Amino acid sequence: VQLQASGGGSVQAGGSLRLSCTASGLTLPDRAIGWFRQAPDKGREPLSCIGASDGKSYYADSVKGRFTVSRDNAKGTVHLQMNSLRPEDTADYFCIQDRARAYCEGYAFIPSMDDWGQGTQVTVSS
C-alpha cells in the first residue's frame, strides 16, 4: 500500500512542522513505517522508523533530538513532529512501509520501489 505524506510548508529556521502520514483513508498496514526525505540533487535519506504496534522508534543522527515520530493505529495516522528546523532540512518528505517487518531494526530499511507514495515539501529558510 502507498502511504501519503502531508503537512509540509515553509518555515523559518528554528520553527516547527508536523507531518502526517495516512493510507488514504484505509487502515495502516501492520508493518513498520519509516520517514525518508530527498533534498534537491540528493538521494533519499532515511530518517526514522516506528514499529507497527510496539511503539518503538529509531532516528538518524541528523534528526535525533529534534524529530519525533508517533503512530495512532486507531486513527490510521503516523506523525512526524519536526522541531528546531534548519535550512538543511529542506527536502521532500515521504512515509513508507517496510513490507518485510512489523518492527524496526534501526531507523533505516530498504523499501519496495512500488510503495513510494506522494511526498510533502518542506522548506526552511535562514
Side-chain angles (χ1 to χ4, degrees):
V1 61
Q2 290 185 345
L3 303 176
Q4 308 303 320
S6 61
S10 297
V11 296
Q12 290 190 326
S16 298
L17 281 174
R18 188 189 193 208
L19 304 185
S20 298
C21 173
T22 64
S24 299
L26 302 176
T27 302
L28 287 174
D30 188 25
R31 290 290 178 265
I33 290 177
W35 284 93
F36 289 69
R37 69 185 177 189
Q38 186 167 19
D41 300 323
K42 293 190 177 180
R44 286 172 177 157
E45 175 189 7
L47 301 177
S48 71
C49 179
I50 187 165
S53 56
D54 61 6
K56 292 183 179 180
S57 57
Y58 302 83
Y59 301 90
D61 287 344
S62 59
V63 303
K64 193 176 295 181
R66 300 188 298 124
F67 291 11
T68 303
V69 61
S70 60
R71 180 170 182 155
D72 187 334
N73 289 324
K75 294 183 178 180
T77 306
V78 176
H79 291 294
L80 183 68
Q81 178 67 43
M82 306 188 298
N83 298 329
S84 302
L85 283 163
R86 306 166 180 169
E88 54 263 41
D89 293 319
T90 295
D92 290 329
Y93 285 70
F94 302 85
C95 56
I96 190 166
Q97 67 167 338
D98 181 352
R99 287 194 185 188
R101 299 175 184 85
Y103 56 91
C104 302
E105 290 185 341
Y107 70 89
F109 60 88
I110 301 175
S112 167
M113 290 302 295
D114 293 338
D115 285 344
W116 288 101
Q118 182 177 350
T120 188
Q121 188 174 53
V122 172
T123 302
V124 184
S125 57
S126 57

